[in-house]
Amino acid sequence: MTDETLTTPERYEPGRHPDMPPPGSTVGVIGWLRSNLFSSPLNTILTLAALYLIYLILPPILDWAIFSANWNDGTSREECVREGACWTMIRARFWQFVYGRYPFDQRWRVDTAFLLFLVTAVPLLIDRVPGKKYLAAFVFLILPVISFFLFYGGLGLPVVDTSLWGGLMLTLILGIVGIVFSLPIGILLALGRRSDLPIIRISSVAFIEFVRAVPLITVLFMASVMLPLFLPQGVTFDKLLRAMIGIALFGAAYMAEVVRGGLQAMPRGQYEGAMALGLGYWQMMGLIILPQALKISIPGIVNTFIGLFKDTTLVIVIGLFELLGTVQQATRDANWAGLSTEGYVFAAVVYFMFCFSMSRYSVRLERKLHTGHKRR
Amino acid sequence: MSNAARAVPASMQISDQVMIEVSGLHKWYGQFHVLKNIDLTVYKGERIVVCGPSGSGKSTLIRCLNRLEEHQKGRIVVDGVELSNDLKHIEQVRREVGMVFQHFNLFPHLTVLQNLTLAPIWVRKMPKAEAEKVARHYLERVKIPEQADKFPGQLSGGQQQRVAIARSLCMNPKVMLFDEPTSALDPEMIKEVLDVMIGLAESGMTMLCVTHEMGFARTVANRVIFMDGGEIIEQNDPEGFFANPKSERTKLFLSQILHH
């Protein structure tokens, strides 16, 4: 190859060399293909092998899931006549997957609550919304109360017992409650673990280490079976509430360690800079240390959120049927026997949608919070 | 260079009002005795340069003055407030004492303007608009008003250090502490920071400065303190200090930093 692009056609005075475009073979589609897929013989072989593998796998999947699938309405699997997936079952059970056994005529309440959440919480996650402070106050203080009355009843609305809650609605309630509470509790635990006050430090460490050393299933069992044994006679509180508390505290212990990682990455100079200006402990933490530590921890925090969201499936062991639970129930129905693949694929797609959006949002957030070029 | 007959501007007069009183100060890091029986009185308007070999305790000394380091024995009184374990007193002192660090310690997640207005707003409870006015005034004074909306990471080292100085000044401090403010800077940026510090000295600010910039000590300081092994070995006005150092250790130190 001749290096004609690299030789300078004429002489320049020192300090007046013009900026030249990079050699053509390193940019554009060709450049990308060359550097990423065909950069070496081994890389070329791997690329071709991967292409062949995709050719083997993809068409049958597409055929099963889309081209030969049954999309018709129906009440049993007999109505699925084509050899592909029987999405008829999903269609027939769809609303049950969404609401569980929540009474038909009351489902508007669930819709209203989630709609309220959507129109208030989502703008909160986007930058530059006027009156963000008030919106945040509404979402964190007023919305939970409204949601409680909408979901559960009271104030003139008929009570819907929590044993009737289920499906995607329950998954989202558990996930949102877990996420919203685990982060602040986790932050407090992380600060507690680094505190100079021995009692606070020891109790934080003890809580974190105990909860992390126990599987979530055990925590849920404890909350639903053991806890009532310890409470005085006659004192009961709702099974779902106990599960929520269990999940939130469990998530908080993991969150605490993620946040502590971020705190430890903060240079001492940031503390000293803040202290030297006369800031108190909470001002220093709230204005200087945590904003930076949490930014560093975003990947870990979202990782924990996603884990928590998927762990809500475990409430099935205490008899609560969230999305995966309702799907499993449906596949055991005699009318739809043997269609577990379709059910699990559907559940997987729904979980993927939620988890992947969280992941993408975190990437966006990291990019937004990136401030200039770090020099050291 | 300057000589003994150098005229001192009226603004640089030293008053007889005591600003900082240190007596019988001792500090240990574990078993290591870093500061040994330090006595020091700083009057309002003084410009003191503290020098000495590395590990001599000079940084530790000025970091004790705003309680970034805890002392174990002795008394430190800053502007009438004694530094003890009382958090209220510590925060009170820190509000009145500005500090500039070797590594700037700007807050990278905030813009330059936010760095400057943070403490006035949250500590002094100043209204935001007023704090911004003050901040812009000091940015003007350190000659980088155009960088107000950038993040610290987008500035050069010299610019960052000038922002750090402005950030301290926004709290309208009575004393400024400088902990090797030019040691982390590229040579061509040292002058711009020293110029700001000289301007500050000329405005009558009480300053304690740990630095190896002997030119700065000669032009600006009214007193040079030499420390070694955790003790104040000798102190004198700059002319006397550089012309006829008394102790052998001072002579050795001066010969090392002046003729390398």
Side-chain angles (χ1 to χ4, degrees):
Chain A
M1 216 173 92
T2 55
D3 271 356
E4 51 187 326
T5 46
L6 295 177
T7 46
T8 326
E10 8 171 340
R11 296 196 156 271
Y12 294 93
E13 272 177 59
R16 319 195 112 212
H17 199 294
D19 293 337
M20 295 193 309
S25 59
T26 59
V27 287
V29 180
I30 306 281
W32 185 88
L33 284 176
R34 260 167 79 165
S35 62
N36 289 292
L37 299 180
F38 302 102
S39 62
S40 67
L42 178 65
N43 202 340
T44 307
I45 293 170
L46 287 176
T47 301
L48 294 176
L51 283 175
Y52 182 63
L53 219 62
I54 292 172
Y55 164 76
L56 283 185
I57 294 169
L58 204 57
I61 289 181
L62 288 179
D63 187 54
W64 177 81
I66 298 170
F67 302 120
S68 316
N70 300 275
W71 299 90
N72 54 309
D73 259 330
T75 52
S76 82
R77 77 167 301 172
E78 264 70 75
E79 284 160 73
C80 287
V81 284
R82 304 180 63 188
E83 73 273 34
C86 181
W87 300 126
T88 312
M89 185 259 269
I90 308 294
R91 285 186 71 159
R93 292 295 190 106
F94 186 78
W95 296 111
Q96 198 192 344
F97 292 162
V98 174
Y99 298 102
R101 294 194 291 136
Y102 208 88
F104 279 102
D105 54 340
Q106 300 298 324
R107 286 182 180 174
W108 65 268
R109 285 156 52 175
V110 180
D111 300 340
T112 316
F114 279 112
L115 202 69
L116 263 177
F117 180 77
L118 271 183
V119 297
T120 53
V122 172
L124 206 58
L125 302 177
I126 303 167
D127 24 298
R128 268 185 261 290
V129 186
K132 221 169 172 175
K133 255 185 228 166
Y134 304 105
L135 203 57
F138 177 80
V139 170
F140 289 104
L141 300 175
I142 304 173
L143 189 60
V145 180
I146 299 179
S147 308
F148 172 81
F149 286 115
L150 279 171
F151 285 133
Y152 185 74
L155 295 180
L157 291 169
V159 168
V160 179
D161 194 77
T162 53
S163 59
L164 298 176
W165 302 14
L168 181 63
M169 157 202 164
L170 184 60
T171 298
L172 289 178
I173 292 174
L174 285 169
I176 291 169
V177 167
I179 285 170
V180 167
F181 283 94
S182 66
L183 185 59
I185 300 175
I187 291 172
L188 289 178
L189 282 170
L191 293 177
R193 191 165 186 166
R194 290 168 60 85
S195 167
D196 293 330
L197 308 169
I199 296 174
I200 293 180
R201 187 175 58 242
I202 290 169
S203 39
S204 305
V205 172
F207 178 85
I208 293 168
E209 294 304 335
F210 176 73
V211 173
R212 278 203 310 170
V214 171
L216 179 57
I217 291 204
T218 321
V219 174
L220 291 173
F221 261 128
M222 294 256 288
S224 82
V225 184
M226 305 280 285
L227 198 64
L229 297 180
F230 297 128
L231 290 175
Q233 204 77 63
V235 177
T236 55
F237 64 106
D238 192 77
K239 184 160 75 175
L240 178 62
L241 183 61
R242 280 179 267 153
M244 281 177 181
I245 295 173
I247 289 176
L249 293 182
F250 188 81
Y254 280 86
M255 198 59 76
E257 290 298 278
V258 171
V259 173
R260 190 167 69 97
L263 287 173
Q264 270 171 349
M266 293 300 301
R268 231 187 112 60
Q270 289 294 306
Y271 290 88
E272 291 181 350
M275 285 192 286
L277 287 168
L279 266 61
Y281 176 83
W282 291 106
Q283 288 178 335
M284 172 174 78
M285 284 301 170
L287 298 167
I288 307 300
I289 304 300
L290 281 174
Q292 297 181 68
L294 291 179
K295 187 182 95 184
I296 307 174
S297 319
I298 287 175
I301 291 174
V302 174
N303 200 22
T304 312
F305 280 170
I306 290 174
L308 196 68
F309 186 75
K310 292 188 296 183
D311 277 352
T312 57
T313 50
L314 291 174
V315 296
I316 198 165
V317 301
I318 57 169
L320 294 170
F321 289 90
E322 40 62 73
L323 177 61
L324 191 65
T326 19
V327 168
Q328 264 178 336
Q329 268 185 325
T331 61
R332 294 208 190 95
D333 183 334
N335 284 335
W336 305 102
L339 291 178
S340 41
T341 313
E342 282 83 348
Y344 287 132
V345 167
F346 172 74
V349 168
V350 175
Y351 279 108
F352 178 83
M353 280 180 350
F354 283 100
C355 295
F356 188 66
S357 339
M358 279 193 255
S359 151
R360 293 316 296 172
Y361 179 69
S362 88
V363 172
R364 210 185 87 103
L365 200 61
E366 275 178 69
R367 216 175 282 147
K368 182 189 134 196
L369 295 178
H370 180 76
T371 53
H373 335 279
K374 279 245 170 78
R375 280 167 169 265
R376 59 174 66 86
Chain B
M1 282 308 296
S2 64
N3 52 50
R6 178 162 50 91
V8 175
S11 63
M12 287 170 85
Q13 294 304 329
I14 294 155
S15 88
D16 52 4
Q17 188 188 333
V18 174
M19 194 50 119
I20 301 174
E21 176 86 68
V22 178
S23 50
L25 179 72
H26 289 266
K27 174 168 176 62
W28 289 264
Y29 285 128
Q31 289 294 313
F32 180 56
H33 200 169
V34 236
L35 293 178
K36 301 169 185 165
N37 197 29
I38 304 281
D39 290 308
L40 176 68
T41 305
V42 180
Y43 294 94
K44 190 164 183 286
E46 274 206 281
R47 303 155 312 270
I48 297 177
V49 163
V50 185
C51 60
S54 85
S56 60
K58 52 193 191 307
S59 280
T60 311
L61 172 62
I62 73 160
R63 287 160 57 86
C64 279
L65 300 181
N66 64 351
R67 193 77 170 184
L68 286 185
E69 303 284 352
E70 207 175 304
H71 60 280
Q72 281 95 24
K73 211 174 153 204
R75 265 165 64 88
I76 301 176
V77 181
V78 181
D79 196 31
V81 180
E82 179 171 1
L83 282 171
S84 60
N85 283 324
D86 190 337
L87 211 62
K88 270 227 176 72
H89 286 180
I90 295 175
E91 281 171 14
Q92 199 181 337
V93 166
R94 285 175 179 165
R95 279 199 290 272
E96 308 304 331
V97 176
M99 187 160 205
V100 175
F101 301 87
Q102 182 177 4
H103 294 290
F104 330 135
N105 297 355
L106 293 174
F107 308 130
H109 63 303
L110 302 176
T111 63
V112 167
L113 195 66
Q114 287 168 334
N115 263 278
L116 267 63
T117 55
L118 184 103
I121 290 175
W122 290 90
V123 180
R124 290 250 191 260
K125 313 290 177 207
M126 198 186 272
K128 192 173 170 219
E130 194 190 333
E132 285 184 358
K133 218 180 102 199
V134 173
R136 288 189 192 280
H137 165 76
Y138 281 112
L139 278 181
E140 195 87 46
R141 210 166 130 187
V142 300
K143 303 189 183 67
I144 33 174
E146 72 285 356
Q147 312 286 9
D149 297 317
K150 286 198 182 162
F151 286 98
Q154 296 165 313
L155 305 183
S156 74
Q159 290 172 327
Q160 290 192 48
Q161 191 62 299
R162 284 186 281 156
V163 171
I165 295 173
R167 181 175 72 176
S168 287
L169 292 178
C170 282
M171 285 294 280
N172 195 19
K174 294 180 176 146
V175 187
M176 286 284 284
L177 308 175
F178 293 84
D179 188 2
E180 307 207 22
T182 54
S183 304
L185 297 177
D186 292 335
E188 77 266 28
M189 292 169 183
I190 291 178
K191 188 177 175 296
E192 64 188 49
V193 171
L194 289 181
D195 283 346
V196 168
M197 290 168 63
I198 291 169
L200 194 59
E202 282 167 355
S203 74
M205 177 65 76
T206 312
M207 295 164 68
L208 266 99
C209 200
V210 172
T211 183
H212 295 295
E213 297 296 330
M214 291 302 133
F216 174 77
R218 270 190 233 260
T219 11
V220 174
N222 69 298
R223 180 151 50 129
V224 179
I225 292 179
F226 175 72
M227 287 184 72
D228 194 14
E231 291 176 281
I232 294 181
I233 302 294
E234 72 173 276
Q235 43 182 316
N236 204 342
D237 56 58
E239 290 79 13
F241 180 80
F242 291 111
N244 42 25
K246 289 173 202 113
S247 87
E248 283 308 312
R249 281 195 265 182
T250 315
K251 283 178 196 159
L252 180 68
F253 175 74
L254 285 177
S255 73
Q256 277 165 343
I257 65 164
L258 294 179
H259 318 285
H260 49 78

